[in-house]
Amino acid sequence: MRQTRNGAHYRPDIYAHSAIVNPYPHYARMRELGSVVWLPRQRVYALPRYAECKAVLRDDTVFISGSGVALNRISNRLSRGTTLNSDGADHERRRKLVAHRLLPRALGAISDTVDRLAGQVVDDAVRRGEIDGVELAAALPLAVVPDLVGWPRDQREHLIAWAGATFDALGPLNRQAVRSVPGTTQMLRFARRVVRQRTVLDGSLAHELLASVDQGAVSADECPALLVDYIAPSLDTTISAISNALDLFARHPEQWQLLRAEPHRIPNAVNEIVRFESPLRAFARQTCVDTEIAGAALASGSRVLVIYASANRDEREWDRPETFDITRDAGRHIGFGQGAHACAGQGLARLETSAMLRELAERVARIERTGPPRWAINNIIRRHERLPLRLVAA
Ligand code: HEM
């Protein structure tokens, strides 16, 4: 077996500001270097290609999440007790508590409300004409998700900042990860108070979680982390998908005309958006035995970085990966993960993104950029900070 630390290395920092803004040239060079590439700064084996990313995500007995999916020890410690950071029976038990609330069948009950709210949000934006695409993208998730999860109505103004910080902190311990630690701890502290005071909304996912405490299925101590599990990834991720959709259709007007003419393509368009601009860049795993990936030896305890955003542009897997094309078969992307830890909220994310695209396609003839967009600097989430656009009414 080949020893990779002596094999392919990639020295540039893929978490430097410039790389966060434009990561794709880095990913392309790493894919050229090989299937397993040692990143000396992060001391991690990166997987830039599709096949190895998918295989590792599916092999959750060798590549475990329980010792953390972040690139630093502090966040891995703070994230203990979450569904994301657990393995085997423990993971299954945690996931079973509430994930069923986000399956398509359960979401049927709110789909009319989501459509109605999306209609209102889009009407208002079309009336204004000139908008910030990020504000438009945030409106529906903010109107739907905190109520569904059951987060109390006070302190909602902090949610986006806290959730963004929670993601940022999962990167390497660079300056912005350090800056994000207070936001992460404030969110966890507030979640502890919510559980202690039982201030969750009736009938919500969090309400069901507390009912599980009463039935003895889960301890009250576990609940704050489990609440953060669902509230933290519920906003930024979907805001990323919707704002990236707005930007991509502004840059590819022929794709927008096609979507308007053939709205049955919306579900696949959502896949293509998540493939082309994956909202989550990468998460880590740890090997729990000596193993190998594509002939490269990895000792037990090695950390491996699964780069979803690079896998989704791997030229070995995708024909013309740098082309945004809503007609391609994009369903096998791994932007929502894969295997045991595949995104528990993807049904909701798809519902919201599709509703927004449907309402926009009906009312908007053209989407135009009116200024340069600005990317948010976040170690994990790829989304715009500002996206100046004009919506031209149909
Ligand atoms: C476009 C939107 C979204 C994207 C791209 C996305 C992406 C992902 C990815 C890649 C993972 C896998 C993590 C891993 O491999 O360790 C994941 C897990 C997860 N996501 Fe999402 N997500 C989105 C929206 C949501 C929403 C709306 C929610 C909740 C309301 C949510 C809740 C979760 C949870 C709870 C997990 C952990 C599952 C587990 O460990 O078993 N996500 N997500």
Side-chain angles (χ1 to χ4, degrees):
M1 278 192 294
R2 182 162 51 86
Q3 237 329 325
T4 303
R5 231 187 266 193
N6 304 322
H9 282 52
Y10 191 70
R11 294 196 183 279
D13 182 6
I14 63 167
Y15 292 94
H17 276 211
S18 59
I20 282 181
V21 169
N22 186 16
Y24 299 114
H26 291 276
Y27 296 159
R29 270 181 267 146
M30 287 162 67
R31 284 196 302 272
E32 264 172 42
L33 282 173
S35 303
V36 183
V37 179
W38 176 248
L39 300 182
R41 281 167 186 271
Q42 281 80 35
R43 305 193 59 72
V44 71
Y45 294 101
L47 307 182
R49 296 183 182 171
Y50 179 90
E52 289 76 21
C53 285
K54 192 165 180 169
V56 160
L57 291 174
R58 291 171 87 97
D59 192 355
D60 59 305
T61 53
V62 170
F63 299 96
I64 59 169
S65 299
S67 53
V69 300
L71 283 177
N72 71 82
R73 287 207 184 122
I74 300 175
S75 288
N76 283 335
R77 204 168 45 239
L78 280 174
S79 317
R80 275 187 200 148
T82 59
T83 313
L84 188 66
N85 278 38
S86 47
D87 296 307
D90 227 11
H91 169 254
E92 224 168 280
R93 179 180 63 84
R94 287 183 179 142
R95 184 151 170 148
K96 265 196 191 139
L97 290 170
V98 282
H100 60 275
R101 295 283 300 245
L102 298 175
L103 291 175
R105 191 152 21 107
L107 291 171
I110 63 158
S111 69
D112 285 350
T113 310
V114 171
D115 286 346
R116 182 176 47 78
L117 289 169
Q120 285 170 7
V121 163
V122 171
D123 268 347
D124 180 52
V126 172
R127 213 170 304 121
R128 281 185 291 137
E130 305 238 335
I131 55 146
D132 176 359
V134 178
E135 263 179 51
L136 172 57
L140 183 66
L142 278 174
V144 172
V145 188
D147 280 352
L148 182 72
V149 175
W151 199 253
R153 297 231 151 77
D154 66 318
Q155 310 279 333
R156 282 194 183 182
E157 69 276 19
H158 299 302
L159 262 185
I160 289 203
W162 285 351
T166 304
F167 272 119
D168 216 356
L170 299 177
L173 212 49
N174 52 14
R175 204 179 313 154
Q176 81 226 38
V178 171
R179 257 205 315 261
S180 67
V181 171
T184 308
T185 46
Q186 276 160 11
M187 184 181 234
L188 192 56
R189 209 174 305 137
F190 186 68
R192 286 199 189 112
R193 199 168 94 204
V194 168
V195 170
R196 207 170 46 244
Q197 298 177 344
R198 295 197 158 231
T199 46
V200 301
L201 304 189
D202 274 354
S204 65
L205 189 148
H207 190 237
E208 189 161 337
L209 198 58
L210 292 183
S212 313
V213 176
D214 299 336
Q215 290 151 13
V218 60
S219 76
D221 291 350
E222 285 181 271
C223 281
L226 292 171
L227 251 189
V228 170
D229 240 340
Y230 284 87
I231 200 73
S234 65
L235 296 171
D236 258 7
T237 51
T238 318
I239 296 171
S240 161
I242 300 172
S243 55
N244 275 315
L246 290 165
D247 192 33
L248 285 167
F249 285 118
R251 284 159 48 206
H252 301 277
E254 77 298 343
Q255 295 283 311
W256 184 241
Q257 294 319 324
L258 178 60
L259 192 79
R260 294 194 68 218
E262 299 177 10
H264 67 272
R265 294 192 185 274
I266 287 176
N268 191 58
V270 174
N271 282 326
E272 176 65 353
I273 291 156
V274 173
R275 179 195 74 81
F276 194 83
E277 287 288 8
S278 304
L280 297 191
R281 301 166 197 275
F283 273 147
R285 296 290 191 267
Q286 184 165 315
T287 57
C288 63
V289 290
D290 291 349
T291 186
E292 66 165 278
I293 302 174
L298 270 70
S300 176
S302 301
R303 293 198 70 80
V304 172
L305 187 67
V306 180
I307 312 182
Y308 314 107
S310 179
N312 284 339
R313 291 205 184 197
D314 182 0
E315 34 294 282
R316 285 152 206 82
E317 178 65 24
W318 306 96
D319 180 31
R320 296 171 300 115
E322 306 296 327
T323 304
F324 175 64
D325 176 3
I326 61 168
T327 66
R328 80 163 72 239
D329 178 9
R332 64 189 188 287
H333 72 81
I334 56 165
F336 286 116
Q338 181 77 205
H341 290 275
C343 180
Q346 60 180 292
L348 179 58
R350 287 177 194 279
L351 183 73
E352 293 176 89
T353 312
S354 300
M356 285 296 290
L357 287 180
R358 224 172 12 252
E359 300 298 329
L360 284 160
E362 263 178 34
R363 295 164 168 81
V364 175
R366 280 196 320 279
I367 305 171
E368 296 170 350
R369 271 186 174 180
T370 53
R374 196 170 66 232
W375 288 100
I377 302 299
N378 189 297
N379 283 322
I380 305 294
I381 291 279
R382 174 154 177 85
R383 81 159 167 90
H384 296 93
E385 182 75 50
R386 229 179 91 71
L387 179 60
L389 295 174
R390 179 182 302 115
L391 303 181
V392 179

